[in-house]
Amino acid sequence: EAQVTQNPRYLITVTGKKLTVTCSQNMNHEYMSWYRQDPGLGLRQIYYSMNVEVTDKGDVPEGYKVSRKEKRNFPLILESPSPNQTSLYFCASSFRTAVPGELFFGEGSRLTVL
Amino acid sequence: LAKTTQPISMDSYEGQEVNITCSHNNIATNDYITWYQQFPSQGPRFIIQGYKTKVTNEVASLFIPADRKSSTLSLPRVSLSDTAVYYCLVGDLRAAGNKLTFGGGTRVLVKP
């Protein structure tokens, strides 16, 4: 089944404790991206990657890192989480050369930083 | 980078048609307009996409005027299960370095 898988789905952590949210897709998509969703603010892009070893900042990259060493994986790293990073995070992927803008989303990861 | 503006919310009743308009005044020549639907605790799901004029599929229609500065998603004969948040997205994934920015979303509530 074609899907985007995020882990963990739920996480409660404390300020400053490094964490990684993994994202994996099995559709051979070139494009992957991370979004955060907060009440009243819609979906805001954190980072995106056009292909392996190619990443770029979205609209709200501060406090986050990403890497794209393999085509299928695009982990989101919070080196020193803070309470303002409490949010619902979504990973998405797509073919770059196919329907422009048709993103496939994961189920989301709800992160709480105390 | 095309910024989008949508109404925050709208209510409707079962069986009615719902029209949601998205404004995107600075849309670029290569940008497409894509709409997504999101249910609580789920990721957004692709509904429909268009470049100009009208596009129709089994769930919705998308109307885009000639100047492309706005677009309207039309949901015919809505049911309770169409209660969701609808997002307008303007951009072109094929362009290197193209960020994809979602609008704030429109919360649609379908009442019995």
Side-chain angles (χ1 to χ4, degrees):
Chain A
E1 179 189 353
Q3 58 186 6
V4 178
T5 303
Q6 297 178 222
N7 279 296
R9 295 288 313 280
Y10 302 90
L11 179 63
I12 300 174
T13 189
V14 295
T15 299
K17 185 176 181 182
K18 180 180 178 180
L19 68 92
T20 298
V21 185
T22 64
C23 175
S24 180
Q25 49 91 7
N26 62 0
M27 295 169 278
N28 203 34
H29 287 165
E30 300 96 348
Y31 179 95
M32 297 186 75
S33 64
W34 277 102
Y35 291 85
R36 62 177 289 172
Q37 187 171 40
D38 303 289
L41 296 177
L43 286 155
R44 295 181 292 168
Q45 191 178 53
I46 303 171
Y47 270 94
Y48 64 99
S49 169
M50 302 298 280
N51 215 324
V52 176
E53 301 292 0
V54 180
T55 63
D56 209 344
K57 297 177 180 178
D59 296 314
V60 289
E62 295 78 21
Y64 305 95
K65 285 175 56 178
V66 292
S67 69
R68 187 89 183 274
K69 294 184 171 58
E70 305 167 283
K71 198 172 189 178
R72 63 183 294 127
N73 296 322
F74 190 45
L76 179 70
I77 303 157
L78 287 71
E79 293 272 2
S80 183
S82 62
N84 65 12
Q85 293 178 297
T86 292
S87 187
L88 179 58
Y89 292 87
F90 288 101
C91 179
S93 70
S94 178
F95 285 116
R96 276 188 58 198
T97 54
V99 179
E102 182 176 7
L103 295 166
F104 294 83
F105 282 83
E107 291 298 305
S109 296
R110 185 169 294 281
L111 171 64
T112 301
V113 183
L114 302 176
Chain B
L1 185 63
K3 178 179 167 56
T4 60
T5 304
Q6 307 173 228
I8 293 174
S9 64
M10 55 176 52
D11 293 353
S12 184
Y13 290 91
E14 282 189 293
Q16 290 189 335
E17 179 182 78
V18 171
N19 295 305
I20 310 170
T21 296
C22 179
S23 298
H24 28 81
N25 289 322
N26 58 341
I27 187 169
T29 302
N30 294 330
D31 285 345
Y32 279 70
I33 300 152
T34 313
W35 284 82
Y36 288 80
Q37 177 190 55
Q38 185 181 27
F39 297 113
S41 301
Q42 294 185 22
R45 184 183 68 168
F46 174 91
I47 300 176
I48 195 167
Q49 182 181 78
Y51 183 80
K52 61 181 178 180
T53 64
K54 176 183 175 182
V55 179
T56 298
N57 62 22
E58 62 276 9
V59 298
S61 294
L62 178 58
F63 299 91
I64 306 169
D67 66 6
R68 304 200 329 123
K69 293 183 184 298
S70 67
S71 58
T72 299
L73 174 72
S74 180
L75 305 171
R77 299 179 299 282
V78 294
S79 64
L80 297 178
S81 63
D82 292 316
T83 292
V85 178
Y86 293 83
Y87 289 95
C88 166
L89 174 66
V90 175
D92 182 0
L93 263 177
R94 298 166 301 180
N98 194 330
K99 300 179 188 178
L100 292 182
T101 299
F102 283 81
T106 299
R107 187 173 300 275
V108 172
L109 174 63
V110 180
K111 303 175 183 178

